[in-house]
Amino acid sequence: MNKSSWLKPTVLPGFGLSLGFATFYLSLIVLLPLAALLGHSLTLSWAEFWKVVASDRAIASYQLTFGASFIAAAVNLVFGLIVAWVLVRYNFFGKKVIDALVDLPFALPTAVAGIALTAIYAPNGWIGQHLSAWGIKAAYSPLGVTLALIFIGLPFVVRTVQPVLEDLEKEIEEAAASLGANRLQTFCRILFPALLPSLLTGFALAFARAVGEYGSVVFISGNMPMKTEITPLLIMTRLEQFDYAGAAALGSVMLLISFILLLLINLLQHWSNNRHGAKA
Amino acid sequence: MQSIKNKLLLAATVLTLSSGLMAKDITLLNVSYDPTRELYRDYNKAFSAYWQQKTGDTVKIEQSHGGSGSQSRSVIDGLRADVVTLALSGDIDPLAKIGKLLPENWESRLADSSAPYTSTIVFLVRKGNPKNIKDWDDLVKEGVEVITPNPKTSGGARWNYLAAWAYAEQKYGSDDAAKDFVGKLFKNVPVLDSGARGSTTTFVQRGIGDVLLAWENEAFLAVNELGKDKIEIVVPSLSILAEPSVAVVDKNTEAKGTTEVATAYLQYLYSKEGQQLAAKHYYRPRDKAVAAEYSKQFPQLKLVTIADFGGWQKAQPEHFGDGGVFDQIYN
């Protein structure tokens, strides 16, 4: 008879110890700081809390933060897939170098990325001057914010899709082709369903990373209230005024929105798994 | 066994005693704001030499720089600063009020309200002054782009804002007119960087804007480093006397036993040598003799002070607090 009926038997021992460690570690590293965050915002009355989180400026900043993050993650979804595809399916000179380059946005300090991107996209920068000739304002606009978020989010999609793509056997595509499917049909019916769960994971990771991004964005956004001010900047300005409670209030709203969005993405993933029976 | 223990104890006692007789090695941490990097690099050398000569002790001074407001917050949150040298007294007050790290009357502990050197706010324009910017009125004209950091995050930007306010109030005679003027000025700001150095980069390196509102010492540095062929300084008819304040952080120095040397470190800023170093780095010296020596360097202009705004205790919440005048400009 098993000690606990909810625990499936396994050949490896040590479940009790490792579960205990996992719970303790997660509490220390994740739950405790989050509890402190909520604790800080609890010092506000409900009316004060609402005044902070529902002000026009805060709402404009949520729109920019979540809107730009969503667009950036969506762009990364498409182009990350293409990068992963090229890296997995083709062999060419310098492939290893390109593969390594993908991780660069991970490793680069975000402030450095922000300054470099601003230098390039500013109206007198390499790319910025050509864009401004077309009347497009890249740096110091929501477009600049999105560009910075695309930059920092790229590795997430590539690195989650790549291993799944490697596991997919070429023979499936060949079988589909020999059964008379054209290329588009093969992609839509065979490859895409198998890749969808990992694409959604990559999207969720890139999105979550973008929402919390501060360093690179403050340099390229121009930080104009109501226009290009991201929520993390509003949190910083609250902290500058020693308003820890107000900062925590904004932080907890971001956490809530992110949590809901990630939950939705997870549900979508679950649904696609059930529907297509693909492995997660 | 016992004898070894005794010998060790003896050795330890001898060591402690002899090190008490020998010169001490002291380390101080000076937490400062952005544009003082170069000044304190020189000043620390001068002070170490002075202190060694006076007491035989060697002092090593570590510097920390960043936005004035965030530096102040780091000290409250536990950064063990012996002294703070920040952009305005309004950033040291919270150390007393919120952090309880020093008494609330800290400003009266050193001469000149604990501000050993001063500065002011001037304009930096492109070579030849193509938009013909002479005074504050030119900044609210249509088509003129003004670069200044965000007063919410930058100490220097708060001086910029108040200087513009003071000008408008004196010229147009009312608070409402001043509010209107400052509102128009910030409508002309295309980029709000979070700190003074960031704004200088935006203006000089990125080529954005027609005029940069800058600390006088930052403006001199920018002209010297980036070339007289690119930018020039314009001095407005009226500006504000910017008083960067300094203070010993009592709680930390008491714990580390560095109160005496930290106090001397700040007092030496008022000495002839300290004042000359400040002037060399384009801060206006308080010492009359040194000021006279450098009088050619600093243009004369009408200066209001923070006291005209009722002090930082009043000006800070009124203008820069949550829902204050600066927020109203954008809402």
Side-chain angles (χ1 to χ4, degrees), chain A residues 78-164:
Chain A
V78 176
F79 291 95
L81 173 64
I82 296 176
V83 172
W85 180 265
V86 170
L87 287 175
V88 170
R89 286 296 158 96
Y90 301 100
N91 274 316
F92 51 90
F93 178 74
K95 178 173 155 175
K96 288 243 165 78
V97 177
I98 292 187
D99 198 35
L101 275 180
V102 170
D103 283 331
L104 213 57
F106 260 145
L108 202 65
T110 52
V112 176
I115 291 171
L117 288 169
T118 313
I120 292 172
Y121 288 108
N124 65 355
W126 294 340
I127 303 179
Q129 57 185 336
H130 301 297
L131 288 176
S132 61
W134 286 80
I136 301 168
K137 205 174 158 205
Y140 313 118
S141 74
L143 175 63
V145 175
T146 314
L147 285 168
L149 297 179
I150 292 173
F151 176 83
I152 55 138
L154 177 75
F156 293 88
V157 176
V158 178
R159 291 301 182 228
T160 45
V161 174
Q162 214 173 2
V164 180

Side-chain angles (χ1 to χ4, degrees), chain A residues 19-262:
Chain A
L19 177 71
F21 174 77
T23 322
F24 172 74
Y25 189 76
L26 278 178
S27 304
L28 199 67
I29 302 291
V30 179
L31 292 180
L32 213 62
L34 289 185
L37 178 71
L38 291 178
H40 260 307
S41 62
L42 283 179
T43 56
L44 294 173
S45 73
W46 175 247
E48 286 167 330
F49 180 86
W50 189 249
K51 202 179 148 232
V52 171
V53 302
S55 70
D56 290 345
R57 243 169 114 172
I59 287 170
S61 80
Y62 304 144
Q63 282 170 350
L64 176 69
T65 302
F66 288 98
S69 298
F70 191 85
I71 294 170
V75 170
N76 277 327
L77 186 74
V78 176
F79 291 95
L81 173 64
I82 296 176
V83 172
W85 180 265
V86 170
L87 287 175
V88 170
R89 286 296 158 96
Y90 301 100
N91 274 316
F92 51 90
F93 178 74
K95 178 173 155 175
K96 288 243 165 78
V97 177
I98 292 187
D99 198 35
L101 275 180
V102 170
D103 283 331
L104 213 57
F106 260 145
L108 202 65
T110 52
V112 176
I115 291 171
L117 288 169
T118 313
I120 292 172
Y121 288 108
N124 65 355
W126 294 340
I127 303 179
Q129 57 185 336
H130 301 297
L131 288 176
S132 61
W134 286 80
I136 301 168
K137 205 174 158 205
Y140 313 118
S141 74
L143 175 63
V145 175
T146 314
L147 285 168
L149 297 179
I150 292 173
F151 176 83
I152 55 138
L154 177 75
F156 293 88
V157 176
V158 178
R159 291 301 182 228
T160 45
V161 174
Q162 214 173 2
V164 180
L165 209 52
E166 268 163 8
D167 282 350
L168 273 186
E169 283 154 20
K170 254 193 177 152
E171 286 75 11
I172 312 178
E173 287 165 60
E174 286 164 5
S178 67
L179 289 170
N182 63 29
R183 283 175 180 213
L184 188 68
Q185 279 173 325
T186 314
F187 180 79
C188 293
R189 301 251 177 101
I190 309 291
L191 291 174
F192 187 69
L195 287 176
L196 190 61
S198 64
L199 277 171
L200 284 173
T201 308
F203 177 85
L205 288 172
F207 176 78
R209 171 71 206 276
V211 166
E213 178 58 20
Y214 176 78
S216 61
V217 176
V218 285
F219 290 100
I220 203 168
S221 70
N223 306 322
M224 298 306 292
M226 309 298 289
K227 285 187 211 129
T228 59
E229 204 173 40
I230 53 167
T231 315
L233 179 76
L234 274 189
I235 295 178
M236 282 302 285
T237 59
R238 291 258 161 201
L239 289 175
E240 299 283 328
Q241 298 166 62
F242 309 100
D243 180 6
Y244 292 75
L250 286 170
S252 54
V253 167
M254 280 189 84
L255 203 62
L256 185 73
I257 302 179
S258 298
F259 183 73
I260 293 172
L261 288 170
L262 291 179

Side-chain angles (χ1 to χ4, degrees), chain A residues 51 56-57 115 118-119 122-124 137 140 219 222-226 229 236-242 244, chain B residues 69-70 72-73 76-77 94 98 152-153 189-194 202 205-208 320-322 327 330-331:
Chain A
K51 202 179 148 232
D56 290 345
R57 243 169 114 172
I115 291 171
T118 313
N124 65 355
K137 205 174 158 205
Y140 313 118
F219 290 100
N223 306 322
M224 298 306 292
M226 309 298 289
E229 204 173 40
M236 282 302 285
T237 59
R238 291 258 161 201
L239 289 175
E240 299 283 328
Q241 298 166 62
F242 309 100
Y244 292 75
Chain B
S70 43
S72 158
R73 206 178 61 257
I76 291 177
D77 290 346
I98 302 172
K152 290 269 198 175
T153 51
V189 176
V191 175
L192 279 174
D193 285 289
S194 54
T202 300
Q205 242 83 292
R206 313 267 178 269
I208 292 182
F320 311 113
D322 193 33
D327 278 351
Y330 283 102
N331 279 348

